[in-house]
Amino acid sequence: MDTKTSSVTGISGTLSSRQQARPCRQWLHASPLALSHGKVVGRRCPGLWLALACLLGHCTALAANQAVNAVSSAQETHAAQSLLWFDGNGPKALTSELLSWAEDLGSIPSSSQETRPGVGAAATAELDASYTRLFLTLLNSVARERGLDVPLTPQALRLKASQGQLPSFIKQMLPQPGEVTRLRQMIRRYRDMTRYVWPSLEQLEFKLGQRSPQIAKLRWMLRQLGDLAAAEADAYREAIYEPALVSAIKHFQQRHGLAINGELDGATLQALNTPPEARISQMQANLWRWLELPALPEDYLWINLPAFRLDVIDSAVEVMSMKVIVGKSSTPTPQFTTHLTRFTLNPTWTPPASIIYGELIPKNSREPGYLSSQGFELRKPRANEAQVLPLADMSASQIAGHLSEYQLVQAPGTRNALGKLRFSIPNTNAIYLHDTPVKSLFRKRNRALSHGCIRLEQPQALLKYLLRKNAALNAAVIDNLAAQQHPSDFNLPRPMPVYITYHTTWVDDAGVLQIRPDIYHLDHKG
């Protein structure tokens, strides 16, 4: 295969002859599916193999003038009226939009060789039916992700088309909030980078003023990725390590959630050497996650687990942001949608059996008196009067023996694992948002540290916001109760929607691609 070496000094990236001659898509680029695309299709659209087999086996593209001639001829008026995706001018705008969606989601290849079937109404009708199968498979995959069990059918699409509702229906199924639009644009930008064989950097330590071909590679990569501004070519300076490169590395590290030190450490090098194809696959997985979500309201809490961050959105504008601690990979925080319905001042904590037997009792065996020193006690549940057994003189085995009748409960206080505040978000996994007495953990970059619950960096700030949104609650009374040492529960008159999400890539308002570690290894799961 003929290759074309990139013009950047010292760069070994190559442009293939097929990529040089890549044709513009007319209606659909189609080719036998490459394995990388097959993984995406297999993960999200298991039926798409059959749809694409039909599509690719019968006809993969028609020239626009062929479709116009076939559809607009007087002898074929009846056939044209039965088409969903074509009219007298060729493919409808909705058709092109759905093909673009399928390409951005990884459900069809982004480019390929084309074949041109013969002219005629039959060929156009066959392509129209193939598109129907392709788009139905795509739309049904989105519906399944949203928990909709009723599959779409060709008849349902035709009914919506006859009623003039098909464009609005597609818009509802494939919404385009700003986050989705920006992510799709970034996928296309990275697709342009796949023309080159992505260079690979070696782990070297550079000093300011040093000259090396590896530095030229580094400079080119950072420019392609948008971390280093483009500049006029200077063959000599391209290979010089200078402060601008250090700043670009820091920018790269910041948007990848890495240690910001300006050095080519192992994690930074691994991220730099990741080829655009892999990033496209990662962005496509995150694009699918956007389609799983319902329409977002004006006010809500947004928790992105890989970013270790909670954002408060008010009237569609971010008004507060804070760090969070989420579940470890062994006890991951699940993704779900719920509401914040109540909060508890000075909460008690009743640990689950897995923590009691896996951590607390063994630690009390190693350090007798540990549980008592942390404010734990045994309480009999559902008793008419509180029955409490102190743990001061109990051994670990004695404590375990009482657990058939009593619960192990940590009383409110400065050592309580839930801190001074717990926010209730109804779910089936006993997940809470809560305060923590160990504030130092928020200084860590990797904050996947909990048993699944979400610890908040600024719980008091969140409470103040909720009180402003729920004026019926008396802030003075709440402040007074917070200073005491017993639990107090409050229901929110206006529950706040909460979205606990998993986005390892997104494009921020400044148009910068943000990438975070795949902490639960979900990006490539089938």
Side-chain angles (χ1 to χ4, degrees):
M1 179 175 66
D2 296 332
T3 59
K4 176 182 178 183
T5 303
S6 81
S7 60
V8 180
T9 303
I11 303 302
S12 59
T14 57
L15 181 66
S16 69
S17 58
R18 177 180 63 83
Q19 290 166 326
Q20 295 173 45
R22 174 176 292 176
C24 295
R25 183 187 65 213
Q26 294 173 3
W27 296 345
L28 170 68
H29 291 300
S31 68
L33 292 179
L35 181 60
S36 61
H37 294 293
K39 288 181 180 177
V40 176
V41 172
R43 179 172 66 244
R44 296 289 184 175
C45 304
L48 198 52
W49 288 105
L50 180 58
L52 283 175
C54 295
L55 178 60
L56 301 176
H58 292 95
C59 50
T60 60
L62 288 172
N65 64 326
Q66 292 176 331
V68 172
N69 292 336
V71 175
S72 62
S73 64
Q75 294 84 358
E76 297 163 351
T77 300
H78 176 73
Q81 292 174 343
S82 67
L83 300 177
L84 272 176
W85 310 110
F86 299 91
D87 58 20
N89 297 315
K92 298 177 181 178
L94 184 61
T95 309
S96 299
E97 175 61 16
L98 281 170
L99 288 172
S100 177
W101 265 107
E103 185 175 324
D104 291 343
L105 286 164
S107 298
I108 59 174
S110 60
S111 66
S112 65
Q113 299 174 355
E114 299 180 1
T115 60
R116 300 176 182 272
V119 177
T124 305
E126 191 172 16
L127 183 58
D128 191 85
S130 295
Y131 280 178
T132 297
R133 290 190 291 271
L134 170 65
F135 297 154
L136 273 176
T137 306
L138 177 64
L139 294 171
N140 278 320
S141 293
V142 174
R144 281 194 301 272
E145 295 293 344
R146 293 187 188 168
L148 305 177
D149 296 329
V150 180
L152 292 168
T153 63
Q155 292 75 19
L157 288 184
R158 292 190 180 281
L159 178 61
K160 290 185 180 299
S162 67
Q163 296 172 340
Q165 298 176 353
L166 188 56
S168 60
F169 172 72
I170 297 299
K171 186 176 180 180
Q172 178 186 2
M173 292 296 291
L174 299 170
Q176 287 248 56
E179 295 87 351
V180 169
T181 299
R182 293 194 296 267
L183 190 58
R184 292 183 67 191
Q185 291 171 344
M186 191 61 68
I187 287 172
R188 295 165 193 172
R189 176 182 161 189
Y190 269 64
R191 194 178 292 138
D192 288 341
M193 293 188 216
T194 63
R195 295 178 300 161
Y196 299 96
V197 176
W198 194 249
S200 180
L201 281 174
E202 302 171 6
Q203 187 159 7
L204 297 171
E205 184 175 343
F206 297 121
K207 296 180 180 180
L208 291 176
Q210 182 178 346
R211 190 172 189 274
S212 166
Q214 290 289 313
I215 295 172
K217 278 187 185 181
L218 172 64
R219 187 184 297 272
W220 183 85
M221 295 164 82
L222 291 170
R223 281 179 181 161
Q224 291 292 311
L225 296 171
D227 297 288
L228 181 65
E232 292 185 8
D234 182 331
Y236 181 79
R237 297 206 61 81
E238 285 289 304
I240 300 294
Y241 197 67
E242 57 186 1
L245 281 178
V246 178
S247 297
I249 292 170
K250 288 181 177 179
H251 183 269
F252 177 89
Q253 291 169 331
Q254 182 277 327
R255 68 180 186 86
H256 283 75
L258 303 173
I260 305 174
N261 53 26
E263 300 174 2
L264 288 176
D265 53 33
T268 302
L269 204 62
Q270 182 179 12
L272 271 170
N273 286 337
T274 300
E277 292 86 351
R279 291 301 185 205
I280 290 172
S281 178
Q282 188 177 8
M283 285 188 276
Q284 288 169 340
N286 283 271
L287 185 56
W288 275 104
R289 290 180 188 129
W290 273 106
L291 298 183
E292 296 168 13
L293 293 170
L296 297 176
E298 289 288 298
D299 303 340
Y300 58 94
L301 301 184
W302 177 268
I303 300 171
N304 185 6
L305 300 173
F308 309 117
R309 170 172 161 164
L310 178 149
D311 297 323
V312 179
I313 309 299
D314 190 305
S315 300
V317 176
E318 180 187 311
V319 296
M320 185 188 306
S321 181
M322 68 183 71
K323 296 176 181 178
V324 298
I325 292 170
V326 305
K328 297 175 288 189
S329 59
S330 58
T331 54
T333 303
Q335 303 169 64
F336 60 96
T337 300
T338 182
H339 285 77
L340 197 163
T341 57
R342 66 189 304 186
F343 62 91
T344 303
L345 305 173
N346 303 309
T348 60
W349 179 44
T350 304
S354 59
I355 296 178
I356 292 173
Y357 292 104
E359 298 180 26
L360 296 178
I361 287 181
K363 186 159 187 176
N364 200 80
S365 295
R366 297 190 302 270
E367 303 175 27
Y370 168 78
L371 291 176
S372 178
S373 71
Q374 297 299 307
F376 283 95
E377 55 194 16
L378 289 169
R379 298 184 182 182
K380 182 165 285 190
R382 295 180 297 277
N384 292 332
E385 295 183 5
Q387 297 185 32
V388 178
L389 295 179
L391 303 181
D393 299 322
M394 285 192 192
S395 66
S397 59
Q398 288 174 318
I399 294 171
H402 283 295
L403 290 178
S404 59
E405 298 181 57
Y406 290 81
Q407 287 181 325
L408 186 65
V409 178
Q410 190 177 32
T414 57
R415 296 182 179 180
N416 186 282
L418 305 184
K420 300 286 288 182
L421 265 171
R422 179 185 67 204
F423 298 94
S424 297
I425 51 172
N427 62 92
T428 59
N429 296 285
I431 302 298
Y432 296 97
L433 312 182
H434 65 84
D435 187 16
T436 175
V438 189
K439 307 293 187 182
S440 60
L441 294 180
F442 290 106
R443 293 197 293 266
K444 290 180 174 289
R445 283 190 311 279
N446 183 350
R447 294 190 292 278
L449 304 169
S450 80
H451 292 91
C453 285
I454 299 173
R455 307 175 198 171
L456 307 181
E457 179 188 29
Q458 303 173 49
Q460 294 292 341
L462 178 58
L463 177 60
K464 288 180 180 179
Y465 169 81
L466 293 172
L467 293 180
R468 289 197 301 270
K469 301 291 286 187
N470 292 266
L473 296 175
N474 191 315
V477 170
I478 290 170
D479 287 342
N480 180 54
L481 291 172
Q484 301 180 26
Q485 289 296 314
H486 60 79
S488 299
D489 296 316
F490 294 87
N491 292 321
L492 288 179
R494 297 176 57 191
M496 188 81 167
V498 178
Y499 298 87
I500 300 178
T501 67
Y502 193 89
H503 291 270
T504 56
T505 65
W506 70 95
V507 181
D508 63 23
D509 292 339
V512 176
L513 177 63
Q514 299 288 334
I515 300 174
R516 297 296 183 270
D518 183 12
I519 55 174
Y520 299 153
H521 309 291
L522 299 180
D523 280 350
H524 303 290
K525 272 196 171 182

